[in-house]
Amino acid sequence: QVQLVESGGGLVQAGGSLRLSCAASGRTFSSYTMGWFRQAPGKEREFVASITWSFDRTDYADSVKGRFTISRDNGKNTVYLQMNSLKPEDTAVYYCAASQRMMARSTAYWNHWGQGTQVTVPS
């Protein structure tokens, strides 16, 4: 029902910024909660941020709070992750995801996943 394609990853120096985009296809996009997760080598996939379909609620992992901002444009079927003040520990593959559950951080509640985009912040 929902297909997700991420873009915008790359290599950026510490302190720099990147904006990730996730283009979604599917007629029911506006009814989903959208989120971003990341997975570093040798580590489990972890929650980064999410936004509900009605815009009124966002959620952030403590590690990115104040540096990352999630937003969405239902008209364009796109969700964004603005990443500022990047650190080497932010290096990971970032995945866009969709869930029919609100405010869920566990990957078990996210039904649809993109293929991921690499973000690298050299130390």
Side-chain angles (χ1 to χ4, degrees):
Q1 291 181 337
V2 176
Q3 293 183 328
L4 307 172
V5 178
E6 303 96 334
S7 61
L11 187 148
V12 61
Q13 297 302 312
S17 298
L18 277 177
R19 189 177 79 157
L20 305 182
S21 299
C22 172
S25 61
R27 295 185 295 112
T28 59
F29 172 74
S30 62
S31 66
Y32 282 81
T33 295
M34 301 299 296
W36 289 94
F37 288 73
R38 66 186 182 187
Q39 188 167 17
K43 295 187 177 181
E44 293 187 351
R45 192 170 298 188
E46 65 175 4
F47 169 81
V48 174
S50 66
I51 185 167
T52 60
W53 69 272
S54 62
F55 303 127
D56 62 348
R57 296 187 72 180
T58 57
D59 188 23
Y60 294 94
D62 288 343
S63 59
V64 306
K65 198 172 294 183
R67 299 189 298 122
F68 291 10
T69 302
I70 189 171
S71 61
R72 66 191 289 166
D73 185 335
N74 283 352
K76 295 182 178 180
N77 279 7
T78 301
V79 62
Y80 306 97
L81 185 68
Q82 178 67 44
M83 304 185 295
N84 299 328
S85 302
L86 282 161
K87 305 175 181 180
E89 50 263 45
D90 295 318
T91 295
V93 177
Y94 283 72
Y95 295 90
C96 177
S99 174
Q100 293 180 295
R101 185 174 178 128
M102 289 178 58
M103 309 304 288
R105 292 192 173 194
S106 169
T107 57
Y109 296 114
W110 295 79
N111 312 97
H112 307 279
W113 295 87
Q115 82 289 347
T117 185
Q118 177 70 47
V119 172
T120 302
V121 187
S123 56

